[in-house]
Amino acid sequence: MAANPALPEGISDLPAGTLASVVTYLEMKTPPPIKGLETPPGLRLLRHDAPDVEWYNRLYRLVGEDYLWFSRLMWDDAALAAHLASDRVEVWSLQKQGVDLGLLELEWMQDGDCELSFFGLSKELIGAGVGRWLMEHATARAFSREISRFFVHTCTLDSPQALGFYMRSGFVPYGRAVEIAEDPRLTGLIPKTAAAHVPLIQR
């Protein structure tokens, strides 16, 4: 990734209605040793082939809305349905008592890479070791096909624990970028009450 010469050093004012985040890119070229973590009590992991768009968006919002996940919400239904039906994409949900509370999405690229596209848990599952168990499954699935690397990115709008978690899981940082985008709470993609930790500036 080449540096953007248009981005000056120092502090830059953002256009009204936008957010900026620092993105960190991470990769894993060989999987870490499998620990064989047991399935947390009361949970089960389900794979969804060509899942329904409405179901997917509902789960995507559940786990990502408070971190301002919005990229998939910008896709129209036909494009998202085609993506989810691709044989290069796997979507998994983590269920508790029949309710979907976690999302795992993987995509195998034509260049031989596999992306951890989305990885998230609802608040009630965070902090009990569920994430470590789900990541072990994600890593095993990624390397179940012949790949050159497994990669992911996170940003400063994500959970404060996310970057450290990915590094402890075996991912190594290799690059940074600054992302500037319209605040999805102002465009109507996400409710204005979401992500209270990120001030909403209306002017």
Side-chain angles (χ1 to χ4, degrees):
M1 292 173 292
N4 182 356
L7 189 64
E9 292 189 10
I11 297 174
S12 299
D13 290 334
L14 294 177
T18 64
L19 291 171
S21 63
V22 177
V23 180
T24 300
Y25 299 94
L26 306 100
E27 63 185 2
M28 179 191 301
K29 295 187 176 179
T30 56
I34 299 297
K35 296 179 181 178
L37 299 174
E38 294 185 3
T39 303
L43 299 181
R44 68 171 183 158
L45 191 59
L46 298 176
R47 180 176 172 182
H48 302 263
D49 293 321
D52 176 74
V53 167
E54 183 178 350
W55 170 88
Y56 175 89
N57 280 333
R58 185 167 57 248
L59 183 55
Y60 181 89
R61 287 181 178 277
L62 175 69
V63 302
E65 197 164 78
D66 266 343
Y67 304 115
L68 300 182
W69 288 12
F70 66 90
S71 58
R72 287 287 187 261
L73 302 178
M74 298 178 69
W75 292 28
D76 63 41
D77 287 355
L80 183 55
H83 169 78
L84 297 175
S86 170
D87 60 5
R88 294 188 289 110
V89 174
E90 285 188 5
V91 175
W92 299 73
S93 73
L94 191 56
Q95 281 192 352
K96 181 178 182 180
Q97 297 179 343
V99 179
D100 295 304
L101 297 174
L103 172 66
L104 167 63
E105 182 180 334
L106 301 165
E107 181 174 2
W108 285 265
M109 307 295 184
Q110 293 181 345
D111 62 3
D113 292 344
C114 179
E115 180 178 13
L116 179 58
S117 302
F118 293 101
F119 182 98
L121 302 173
S122 66
K123 292 179 180 178
E124 66 186 87
L125 296 183
I126 294 174
V130 177
R132 294 193 302 273
W133 171 77
L134 184 59
M135 181 58 76
E136 186 168 272
H137 173 80
T139 303
R141 288 303 306 159
F143 285 96
S144 68
R145 306 187 192 186
E146 187 174 343
I147 61 173
S148 55
R149 65 172 186 150
F150 187 27
F151 73 99
V152 66
H153 73 268
T154 186
C155 75
T156 48
L157 294 176
D158 209 342
S159 166
Q161 292 94 8
L163 181 57
F165 171 77
Y166 289 133
M167 293 173 66
R168 289 191 300 274
S169 299
F171 289 94
V172 177
Y174 69 90
R176 288 194 185 94
V178 174
E179 180 180 17
I180 299 175
E182 289 186 280
D183 190 327
R185 296 169 296 183
L186 295 178
T187 63
L189 285 174
I190 291 177
K192 291 183 177 180
T193 53
H197 62 290
V198 181
L200 179 63
I201 300 175
Q202 302 185 71
R203 60 175 180 172

